[in-house]
Amino acid sequence: MLRMAAPEVERELSEEVQEETKTFKELGVTEVLCETCEQLGWKRPTKIQLEAIPIALQGRDIIGLAETGSGKTGAFALPILQTLLETPQRLFALVLTPTRELAFQISEQFEALGSSIGVKSAVIVGGIDMMSQSLALAKKPHIVIATPGRLIDHLENTKGFNLRALKYLVMDEADRILNMDFETEVDKILKVIPRDRKTFLFSATMTKKVQKLQRAALKDPVKCAVSSKYQTVEKLQQYYLFIPSKFKDSYLVYILNELAGNSFMVFCSTCNNTQRVALLLRNLGFTAIPLHGQMNQNKRLGSLNKFKAKSRSILLATDVASRGLDIPHVDVVINFDIPTHSKDYIHRVGRTARAGRSGKSITFVTQYDVELFQRIEHLIGKKLPEFPTQEEEVMILNERVAEAQRFARLELREHGDKKKRPREEDADDAESSLRVRKKVAGGKFRKKIH
Ligand code: AMP
């Protein structure tokens, strides 16, 4: 087996000297919001908050380059809420975001930070009934958090709704909004909101499209960057694991056993593989749950909530879930399939080691992935150590894993057939098909593995 580097454990950097960091109060945040931060356990501002909040409070536009998990939502939400307190107004701010999940999370943070001042927000995203959203908009919330496509639908079709008095526009994860071909929608939105407004543009990466948008939408912005190069957070221990592709499933099971007790996010490249691996793991007795684009919105939120509530310890996800999701307790990210775009690597591993916590990432590299892996190492500017494993112990698992693979394939096929039949229950998570499986295996695999 090809070995790329001797195993070594990355040294954790020493704890940041907290006392040297300014407080929210010293940044100019008003008393009532400082109290809320304290209640949320936000003791000191994060780096991006330190940089962005004072500038935003001066009324300047901001272009923010921040790592995932850096606290950027607080960096734009606190100044907006503070200005809203000073000059109360309905339909005060619009936050554009690329995904539905991210929209809900941003809304949760606005509601949490604004809880003591009665802030109302509305989430306007696809996959949810237009009528109930129209009713929410008719109540004129203070903050609208939206994906661009659905917002345009409402701007064009919902009577009485407009954003002509808007004071703040935030474009979060702008690079991703533009990569998802929302450029036309963003242009349309810019045309129907006041020119005289404040704009905050946040992006993980500074692409040409983002620069173009910056020129079109921002006035003399101040740049706030917590990482100028593509970087991953300091407390993240990153490893790779070079393995033949046919043993990927066994190695995954081995690692999940070795690191049992942690919460995992496992990234796969396709919806089908995500579903397959979820079924395979569940057949072996792990509490795994899938999250991918072929599941409907309710099922996706359901999966996410079960994982957030810690009733499931392994979330299998495609890149739909790789960015923006606020899942604070992920201990380990496993790149089961290597990301084809190396920037996705940064976003995936950004799911762990968030907000000062430590975390691990392990990237599976097969004989087909060497070039992609080298590109990732080049992008992050360092060579990763190999994750230590005992090959013999992995090989012992092969037989049981092969049996679980067969069942998973069967279930996938059954599930495919069901989907073809109309009026069948929509069984697009692994949970429902598992019921069939339990009857077959009695769910005894995990005990044997331990
Ligand atoms: P974000 O990068 O905005 O998605 O934030 C990532 C996580 O950090 C969220 O769970 C926030 O609640 C949390 N967070 C944001 N600001 C702070 C802070 N100053 N101190 C501690 N946690 C924070």
Side-chain angles (χ1 to χ4, degrees):
M1 194 186 290
L2 193 101
R3 302 266 164 192
M4 287 175 173
E8 73 182 59
V9 177
E10 234 173 73
R11 214 162 23 95
E12 274 190 21
L13 291 177
S14 57
E15 288 282 311
E16 274 170 43
V17 190
Q18 289 252 313
E19 296 79 62
E20 284 178 12
T21 313
K22 283 189 177 164
T23 59
F24 282 108
K25 196 167 180 212
E26 284 166 325
L27 296 185
V29 176
T30 192
E31 196 69 37
V32 58
L33 291 173
C34 287
E35 280 166 20
T36 314
C37 289
E38 187 135 354
Q39 282 157 15
L40 291 176
W42 297 12
K43 294 198 176 69
R44 302 269 169 166
T46 64
K47 283 184 199 159
I48 188 71
Q49 291 164 358
L50 274 175
E51 284 203 29
I53 291 174
I55 293 163
L57 288 174
Q58 283 166 25
R60 301 282 303 269
D61 281 3
I62 286 177
I63 170 125
L65 275 174
E67 306 169 347
T68 34
S70 60
K72 62 187 159 69
T73 315
F76 62 75
L78 283 167
I80 289 178
L81 290 172
Q82 183 146 333
T83 330
L84 178 64
L85 257 177
E86 287 158 8
T87 48
Q89 183 205 300
R90 298 281 168 163
L91 298 171
F92 186 72
L94 166 67
V95 183
L96 288 180
T97 173
T99 68
R100 302 181 263 198
E101 285 82 2
L102 190 50
F104 283 108
Q105 276 169 204
I106 294 172
S107 149
E108 274 168 23
Q109 283 207 43
F110 263 106
E111 301 255 338
L113 287 169
S115 55
S116 59
I117 54 174
V119 167
K120 295 275 168 281
S121 67
V123 175
I124 302 298
V125 294
I128 286 172
D129 150 58
M130 284 278 286
M131 187 52 92
S132 58
Q133 289 180 350
S134 302
L135 291 174
L137 290 174
K139 287 186 190 154
K140 300 207 180 336
H142 301 101
I143 318 283
V144 176
I145 299 125
T147 48
R150 181 53 71 94
L151 183 71
I152 292 286
D153 276 359
H154 281 286
L155 283 167
E156 290 175 350
N157 302 313
T158 299
K159 277 204 186 101
F161 169 60
N162 68 68
L163 292 169
R164 288 198 286 267
L166 198 76
K167 295 292 182 293
Y168 280 90
L169 169 68
V170 180
M171 288 179 280
D172 192 35
E173 308 241 348
D175 48 351
R176 192 145 185 240
I177 294 181
L178 299 173
N179 282 346
M180 288 167 81
D181 284 336
F182 278 135
E183 254 173 306
T184 324
E185 283 82 355
V186 171
D187 282 347
K188 276 190 189 169
I189 293 164
L190 289 176
K191 285 198 183 103
V192 297
I193 59 175
R195 279 178 162 273
D196 189 19
R197 55 153 207 272
K198 309 278 178 285
T199 309
F200 303 151
L201 186 156
F202 282 85
S203 191
T205 54
M206 198 59 190
T207 60
K208 284 215 175 77
K209 283 182 182 175
V210 175
Q211 283 168 341
K212 196 175 147 208
L213 178 62
Q214 176 193 331
R215 285 193 293 274
L218 279 75
K219 271 186 265 138
D220 191 22
V222 179
K223 191 171 171 187
C224 298
V226 292
S227 60
S228 50
K229 201 178 153 33
Y230 299 119
Q231 272 175 2
T232 38
V233 282
E234 290 162 358
K235 290 193 172 184
L236 173 66
Q237 298 175 353
Q238 304 172 76
Y239 300 92
Y240 78 93
L241 186 54
F242 190 80
I243 46 175
S245 57
K246 63 176 174 182
F247 293 130
K248 275 170 106 174
D249 290 348
S250 298
Y251 271 92
L252 177 64
V253 172
Y254 170 84
I255 288 173
L256 294 173
N257 275 323
E258 283 295 299
L259 303 179
N262 286 301
S263 61
F264 297 86
M265 236 179 134
V266 180
F267 283 98
C268 300
S269 56
T270 63
C271 298
N272 201 50
N273 209 25
T274 309
Q275 190 75 21
R276 185 193 69 84
V277 181
L279 289 167
L280 171 102
L281 293 178
R282 299 199 56 129
N283 283 336
L284 291 166
F286 291 98
T287 58
I289 195 153
L291 177 76
H292 57 73
Q294 274 174 13
M295 293 161 64
N296 68 33
Q297 178 66 2
N298 283 343
K299 288 264 161 70
R300 279 160 68 173
L301 284 174
S303 282
L304 194 56
N305 286 337
K306 280 178 191 158
F307 184 66
K308 271 189 177 175
K310 303 190 185 184
S311 72
R312 302 292 182 279
S313 60
I314 306 164
L315 184 70
L316 281 299
T318 54
D319 280 305
V320 165
S322 75
R323 286 185 66 175
L325 290 182
D326 180 20
I327 311 167
H329 71 280
V330 174
D331 305 308
V332 186
V333 167
I334 299 178
N335 287 314
F336 182 81
D337 293 322
I338 199 162
T340 17
H341 301 291
S342 28
K343 281 178 202 165
D344 281 337
Y345 175 86
I346 313 274
H347 304 134
R348 288 182 180 190
V349 301
R351 301 299 97 215
T352 184
R354 288 165 80 75
R357 294 178 181 85
S358 52
K360 264 192 195 63
S361 73
I362 304 167
T363 300
F364 284 10
V365 183
T366 72
Q367 64 274 33
Y368 308 113
D369 308 323
V370 177
E371 208 186 314
L372 285 172
F373 180 64
Q374 283 167 344
R375 256 187 251 159
I376 290 169
E377 284 193 324
H378 181 73
L379 182 77
I380 59 177
K382 58 177 158 191
K383 289 254 172 241
L384 299 187
E386 182 162 24
F387 187 78
T389 54
Q390 296 290 331
E391 202 178 323
E392 316 76 59
E393 288 183 24
V394 181
M395 293 307 127
I396 295 171
L397 299 171
N398 280 344
E399 206 177 307
R400 255 170 262 155
V401 169
E403 195 183 347
Q405 283 170 336
R406 273 195 301 279
F407 281 121
R409 271 197 300 271
L410 259 172
E411 284 160 357
L412 267 184
R413 215 173 300 148
E414 248 175 51
H415 168 61
D417 288 347
K418 259 192 185 178
K419 285 217 128 179
K420 275 178 216 151
R421 269 179 261 147
R423 300 172 70 97
E424 271 298 346
E425 190 196 345
D426 180 15
D428 59 1
D429 66 0
E431 309 263 281
S432 31
S433 30
L434 183 78
R435 269 176 238 132
V436 181
R437 178 72 208 103
K438 267 190 175 150
K439 274 185 234 148
V440 185
K444 283 185 188 144
F445 284 104
R446 180 113 196 249
K447 283 194 192 97
K448 283 190 205 160
I449 284 172
H450 274 297

